[in-house]
Short mmCIF file of all heavy atoms in Angstrom, two decimals:
data_model
loop_
_atom_site.label_atom_id
_atom_site.label_comp_id
_atom_site.label_asym_id
_atom_site.label_seq_id
_atom_site.Cartn_x
_atom_site.Cartn_y
_atom_site.Cartn_z
N VAL I 10 0.86 -1.21 0.06
CA VAL I 10 -0.03 0.04 0.09
C VAL I 10 0.89 1.21 0.00
O VAL I 10 0.48 2.19 -0.51
CB VAL I 10 -1.01 0.03 1.18
CG1 VAL I 10 -0.20 -0.06 2.50
CG2 VAL I 10 -1.90 1.15 1.10
N ASP I 11 2.06 1.21 0.66
CA ASP I 11 2.93 2.30 0.57
C ASP I 11 3.51 2.60 -0.79
O ASP I 11 3.47 3.79 -1.31
CB ASP I 11 4.15 2.05 1.46
CG ASP I 11 4.90 0.78 1.13
OD1 ASP I 11 4.29 -0.22 0.80
OD2 ASP I 11 6.08 0.80 1.20
N LEU I 12 3.63 1.62 -1.70
CA LEU I 12 4.02 1.77 -3.10
C LEU I 12 2.88 2.41 -3.81
O LEU I 12 3.11 3.30 -4.69
CB LEU I 12 4.36 0.44 -3.71
CG LEU I 12 5.45 -0.28 -3.03
CD1 LEU I 12 5.66 -1.62 -3.81
CD2 LEU I 12 6.71 0.51 -3.02
N ALA I 13 1.65 2.01 -3.48
CA ALA I 13 0.47 2.63 -4.23
C ALA I 13 0.32 4.13 -3.89
O ALA I 13 0.11 4.98 -4.78
CB ALA I 13 -0.82 1.99 -3.73
N ILE I 14 0.63 4.56 -2.57
CA ILE I 14 0.51 5.94 -2.27
C ILE I 14 1.65 6.77 -3.01
O ILE I 14 1.35 7.84 -3.55
CB ILE I 14 0.69 6.11 -0.61
CG1 ILE I 14 -0.45 5.49 0.03
CG2 ILE I 14 0.95 7.51 -0.32
CD1 ILE I 14 -0.40 5.29 1.57
N GLU I 15 2.87 6.18 -2.96
CA GLU I 15 3.91 6.86 -3.72
C GLU I 15 3.52 7.06 -5.26
O GLU I 15 3.75 8.08 -5.84
CB GLU I 15 5.25 6.17 -3.50
CG GLU I 15 5.71 6.22 -2.13
CD GLU I 15 6.83 5.19 -1.86
OE1 GLU I 15 7.34 4.55 -2.78
OE2 GLU I 15 7.24 5.03 -0.71
N ALA I 16 3.00 5.97 -5.76
CA ALA I 16 2.62 6.10 -7.27
C ALA I 16 1.53 7.00 -7.43
O ALA I 16 1.69 7.82 -8.45
CB ALA I 16 2.26 4.59 -7.71
N CYS I 17 0.63 7.15 -6.58
CA CYS I 17 -0.41 8.19 -6.73
C CYS I 17 0.09 9.50 -6.62
O CYS I 17 -0.24 10.32 -7.58
CB CYS I 17 -1.44 8.01 -5.47
SG CYS I 17 -2.76 9.14 -5.49
N LYS I 18 1.15 9.74 -5.74
CA LYS I 18 1.75 11.12 -5.78
C LYS I 18 2.42 11.43 -7.01
O LYS I 18 2.36 12.54 -7.53
CB LYS I 18 2.72 11.25 -4.52
CG LYS I 18 3.19 12.56 -4.24
CD LYS I 18 3.89 12.57 -2.90
CE LYS I 18 4.36 14.06 -2.60
NZ LYS I 18 5.14 14.02 -1.26
N LEU I 19 3.09 10.47 -7.61
CA LEU I 19 3.90 10.63 -8.85
C LEU I 19 2.85 10.96 -9.93
O LEU I 19 3.25 11.88 -10.82
CB LEU I 19 4.68 9.44 -9.20
CG LEU I 19 5.90 9.06 -8.31
CD1 LEU I 19 6.39 7.70 -8.63
CD2 LEU I 19 6.86 10.15 -8.42
N LEU I 20 1.80 10.31 -10.11
CA LEU I 20 0.79 10.64 -11.10
C LEU I 20 0.21 12.03 -10.93
O LEU I 20 0.10 12.69 -11.96
CB LEU I 20 -0.42 9.65 -10.99
CG LEU I 20 -0.10 8.21 -11.47
CD1 LEU I 20 -1.15 7.30 -10.99
CD2 LEU I 20 0.16 8.03 -12.90
N LEU I 21 -0.01 12.50 -9.75
CA LEU I 21 -0.47 13.84 -9.54
C LEU I 21 0.55 14.93 -10.04
O LEU I 21 0.25 15.90 -10.64
CB LEU I 21 -0.86 14.06 -8.11
CG LEU I 21 -2.10 13.40 -7.63
CD1 LEU I 21 -2.33 13.72 -6.13
CD2 LEU I 21 -3.27 13.77 -8.43
N VAL I 22 1.81 14.69 -9.64
CA VAL I 22 2.94 15.45 -10.08
C VAL I 22 3.07 15.69 -11.56
O VAL I 22 3.25 16.76 -12.07
CB VAL I 22 4.28 15.07 -9.46
CG1 VAL I 22 5.41 15.73 -10.12
CG2 VAL I 22 4.38 15.16 -7.96
N ASP I 23 2.71 14.49 -12.22
CA ASP I 23 2.86 14.54 -13.73
C ASP I 23 1.44 15.05 -14.42
O ASP I 23 1.21 15.01 -15.67
CB ASP I 23 3.18 13.10 -14.27
CG ASP I 23 4.55 12.76 -13.98
OD1 ASP I 23 5.31 13.70 -13.74
OD2 ASP I 23 4.79 11.59 -14.09
N GLY I 24 0.50 15.56 -13.62
CA GLY I 24 -0.71 16.18 -14.08
C GLY I 24 -1.85 15.27 -14.36
O GLY I 24 -2.88 15.76 -14.99
N TYR I 25 -1.90 14.08 -13.88
CA TYR I 25 -2.93 13.15 -14.10
C TYR I 25 -4.08 13.37 -13.12
O TYR I 25 -3.88 13.60 -11.84
CB TYR I 25 -2.50 11.64 -14.07
CG TYR I 25 -1.62 11.30 -15.29
CD1 TYR I 25 -0.35 11.46 -15.34
CD2 TYR I 25 -2.29 10.67 -16.29
CE1 TYR I 25 0.38 11.15 -16.46
CE2 TYR I 25 -1.65 10.25 -17.44
CZ TYR I 25 -0.24 10.58 -17.52
OH TYR I 25 0.48 10.11 -18.56
N LYS I 26 -5.27 13.51 -13.64
CA LYS I 26 -6.42 13.70 -12.80
C LYS I 26 -7.02 12.29 -12.31
O LYS I 26 -7.56 11.60 -13.24
CB LYS I 26 -7.49 14.54 -13.52
CG LYS I 26 -7.03 15.82 -13.82
CD LYS I 26 -8.11 16.61 -14.73
CE LYS I 26 -9.36 16.85 -14.00
NZ LYS I 26 -10.46 17.57 -14.91
N ILE I 27 -6.68 11.98 -11.02
CA ILE I 27 -7.20 10.73 -10.66
C ILE I 27 -7.80 10.73 -9.15
O ILE I 27 -7.59 11.69 -8.48
CB ILE I 27 -5.84 9.70 -10.53
CG1 ILE I 27 -4.87 10.28 -9.48
CG2 ILE I 27 -5.18 9.48 -11.86
CD1 ILE I 27 -3.72 9.24 -9.18
N LYS I 28 -8.55 9.67 -8.92
CA LYS I 28 -8.89 9.33 -7.62
C LYS I 28 -8.54 7.89 -7.27
O LYS I 28 -8.99 6.97 -8.08
CB LYS I 28 -10.51 9.44 -7.40
CG LYS I 28 -10.88 10.94 -7.51
CD LYS I 28 -10.58 11.66 -6.25
CE LYS I 28 -11.29 13.14 -6.24
NZ LYS I 28 -10.99 13.88 -5.00
N TRP I 29 -7.79 7.60 -6.22
CA TRP I 29 -7.24 6.31 -5.98
C TRP I 29 -8.02 5.85 -4.73
O TRP I 29 -7.74 6.45 -3.72
CB TRP I 29 -5.79 6.37 -5.95
CG TRP I 29 -5.18 4.89 -5.90
CD1 TRP I 29 -5.61 3.72 -5.29
CD2 TRP I 29 -3.81 4.61 -6.56
NE1 TRP I 29 -4.76 2.72 -5.59
CE2 TRP I 29 -3.65 3.16 -6.33
CE3 TRP I 29 -3.02 5.25 -7.37
CZ2 TRP I 29 -2.56 2.55 -6.78
CZ3 TRP I 29 -1.84 4.59 -7.82
CH2 TRP I 29 -1.61 3.27 -7.52
N TYR I 30 -8.75 4.78 -4.87
CA TYR I 30 -9.52 4.27 -3.70
C TYR I 30 -8.94 2.98 -3.18
O TYR I 30 -8.33 2.11 -4.10
CB TYR I 30 -11.00 4.06 -4.03
CG TYR I 30 -11.74 5.29 -4.38
CD1 TYR I 30 -11.73 5.83 -5.69
CD2 TYR I 30 -12.38 6.03 -3.28
CE1 TYR I 30 -12.47 7.02 -5.91
CE2 TYR I 30 -13.13 7.06 -3.58
CZ TYR I 30 -13.18 7.63 -4.92
OH TYR I 30 -13.75 8.84 -5.21
N HIS I 31 -9.02 2.64 -1.90
CA HIS I 31 -8.55 1.46 -1.40
C HIS I 31 -9.52 0.77 -0.51
O HIS I 31 -10.11 1.46 0.41
CB HIS I 31 -7.21 1.66 -0.58
CG HIS I 31 -6.68 0.34 0.02
ND1 HIS I 31 -7.17 -0.30 1.11
CD2 HIS I 31 -5.49 -0.30 -0.44
CE1 HIS I 31 -6.37 -1.34 1.32
NE2 HIS I 31 -5.35 -1.34 0.34
N ILE I 32 -9.82 -0.50 -0.76
CA ILE I 32 -10.77 -1.30 0.10
C ILE I 32 -10.03 -2.35 0.94
O ILE I 32 -9.11 -3.02 0.39
CB ILE I 32 -11.83 -2.03 -0.79
CG1 ILE I 32 -12.76 -0.99 -1.51
CG2 ILE I 32 -12.59 -3.05 0.03
CD1 ILE I 32 -13.76 -1.71 -2.50
N GLY I 33 -10.28 -2.13 2.22
CA GLY I 33 -9.56 -3.24 3.07
C GLY I 33 -9.04 -2.52 4.40
O GLY I 33 -8.94 -1.34 4.47
N ASP I 34 -8.59 -3.25 5.37
CA ASP I 34 -7.96 -2.69 6.59
C ASP I 34 -6.78 -3.56 6.90
O ASP I 34 -6.45 -4.56 6.15
CB ASP I 34 -8.94 -2.51 7.72
CG ASP I 34 -9.43 -3.75 8.23
OD1 ASP I 34 -9.10 -4.92 7.78
OD2 ASP I 34 -10.28 -3.80 9.11
N GLY I 35 -6.18 -3.28 7.99
CA GLY I 35 -5.03 -4.04 8.33
C GLY I 35 -4.09 -3.33 9.44
O GLY I 35 -4.45 -2.29 9.98
N ASN I 36 -3.03 -4.07 9.79
CA ASN I 36 -2.26 -3.50 10.78
C ASN I 36 -1.44 -2.27 10.51
O ASN I 36 -0.83 -1.68 11.39
CB ASN I 36 -1.25 -4.71 11.34
CG ASN I 36 -0.37 -5.19 10.15
OD1 ASN I 36 -0.34 -4.62 9.21
ND2 ASN I 36 0.27 -6.25 10.56
N TRP I 37 -1.44 -1.98 9.34
CA TRP I 37 -0.78 -0.68 8.98
C TRP I 37 -1.84 0.55 8.80
O TRP I 37 -1.49 1.55 8.27
CB TRP I 37 -0.11 -0.84 7.56
CG TRP I 37 1.34 -1.22 7.65
CD1 TRP I 37 1.97 -1.62 8.60
CD2 TRP I 37 2.30 -0.84 6.57
NE1 TRP I 37 3.30 -1.88 8.28
CE2 TRP I 37 3.49 -1.36 7.14
CE3 TRP I 37 2.27 -0.29 5.37
CZ2 TRP I 37 4.72 -1.25 6.35
CZ3 TRP I 37 3.54 -0.16 4.62
CH2 TRP I 37 4.71 -0.59 5.11
N GLY I 38 -3.00 0.30 9.44
CA GLY I 38 -3.97 1.39 9.18
C GLY I 38 -3.52 2.77 9.61
O GLY I 38 -3.68 3.70 8.83
N ASN I 39 -3.15 2.94 10.83
CA ASN I 39 -2.66 4.30 11.28
C ASN I 39 -1.43 4.80 10.57
O ASN I 39 -1.39 5.93 10.17
CB ASN I 39 -2.38 4.17 12.85
CG ASN I 39 -3.63 3.95 13.67
OD1 ASN I 39 -4.70 4.28 13.28
ND2 ASN I 39 -3.42 3.35 14.84
N LYS I 40 -0.59 3.87 10.19
CA LYS I 40 0.66 4.25 9.36
C LYS I 40 0.26 4.75 8.05
O LYS I 40 0.71 5.77 7.56
CB LYS I 40 1.64 3.07 9.31
CG LYS I 40 2.87 3.42 8.61
CD LYS I 40 3.87 2.20 8.52
CE LYS I 40 5.16 2.57 7.91
NZ LYS I 40 6.11 1.44 8.00
N VAL I 41 -0.71 4.13 7.45
CA VAL I 41 -1.13 4.44 6.00
C VAL I 41 -1.82 5.88 6.11
O VAL I 41 -1.61 6.69 5.17
CB VAL I 41 -2.08 3.39 5.40
CG1 VAL I 41 -2.71 3.94 4.23
CG2 VAL I 41 -1.33 2.09 5.11
N LYS I 42 -2.65 6.03 7.06
CA LYS I 42 -3.38 7.36 7.23
C LYS I 42 -2.33 8.48 7.38
O LYS I 42 -2.39 9.52 6.83
CB LYS I 42 -4.30 7.25 8.46
CG LYS I 42 -5.55 6.43 8.19
CD LYS I 42 -6.37 6.41 9.38
CE LYS I 42 -7.60 5.35 9.28
NZ LYS I 42 -8.22 5.26 10.47
N LYS I 43 -1.24 8.25 8.10
CA LYS I 43 -0.26 9.16 8.34
C LYS I 43 0.54 9.58 7.05
O LYS I 43 0.86 10.64 6.65
CB LYS I 43 0.68 8.76 9.43
CG LYS I 43 1.82 9.80 9.74
CD LYS I 43 2.71 9.26 10.88
CE LYS I 43 3.75 10.35 11.25
NZ LYS I 43 4.63 9.91 12.31
N MET I 44 0.82 8.38 6.29
CA MET I 44 1.44 8.57 4.97
C MET I 44 0.66 9.38 3.94
O MET I 44 1.21 10.22 3.29
CB MET I 44 1.70 7.27 4.36
CG MET I 44 2.80 6.39 5.03
SD MET I 44 2.85 4.61 4.35
CE MET I 44 3.49 5.13 2.72
N ILE I 45 -0.70 9.24 4.02
CA ILE I 45 -1.63 9.96 3.19
C ILE I 45 -1.73 11.37 3.57
O ILE I 45 -1.53 12.28 2.65
CB ILE I 45 -2.96 9.26 3.17
CG1 ILE I 45 -3.01 7.94 2.58
CG2 ILE I 45 -4.07 10.16 2.53
CD1 ILE I 45 -4.24 7.12 2.86
N GLU I 46 -1.66 11.69 4.71
CA GLU I 46 -1.65 13.11 5.23
C GLU I 46 -0.26 13.73 4.87
O GLU I 46 -0.33 14.77 4.46
CB GLU I 46 -1.82 13.10 6.77
CG GLU I 46 -3.22 12.62 7.13
CD GLU I 46 -3.37 12.55 8.75
OE1 GLU I 46 -2.42 12.83 9.43
OE2 GLU I 46 -4.48 12.22 9.14
N GLU I 47 0.77 13.12 5.17
CA GLU I 47 2.11 13.65 4.78
C GLU I 47 2.39 13.88 3.39
O GLU I 47 3.17 14.77 3.02
CB GLU I 47 3.18 12.80 5.56
CG GLU I 47 3.20 12.70 7.12
CD GLU I 47 4.25 11.84 7.61
OE1 GLU I 47 4.82 11.08 6.85
OE2 GLU I 47 4.47 11.93 8.89
#
């Protein structure tokens, strides 16, 4: 999921209009939310 977040950021930098959704939860939940915010 960290790779997905990084890829999402790269797409935005290159000007792509996207919405990236994720279904699921797990032990990285809080970490992922922090990564998204940062």
Side-chain angles (χ1 to χ4, degrees):
V10 63
D11 54 322
L12 302 179
I14 293 170
E15 292 168 7
C17 179
K18 190 171 184 177
L19 291 172
L20 289 168
L21 289 180
V22 168
D23 287 343
Y25 286 84
K26 297 176 65 176
I27 63 170
K28 291 284 188 181
W29 194 319
Y30 295 88
H31 184 285
I32 292 176
D34 66 2
N36 56 11
W37 262 26
N39 291 332
K40 182 174 182 176
V41 168
K42 290 176 184 177
K43 185 177 180 181
M44 289 175 64
I45 292 170
E46 291 174 1
E47 292 176 347

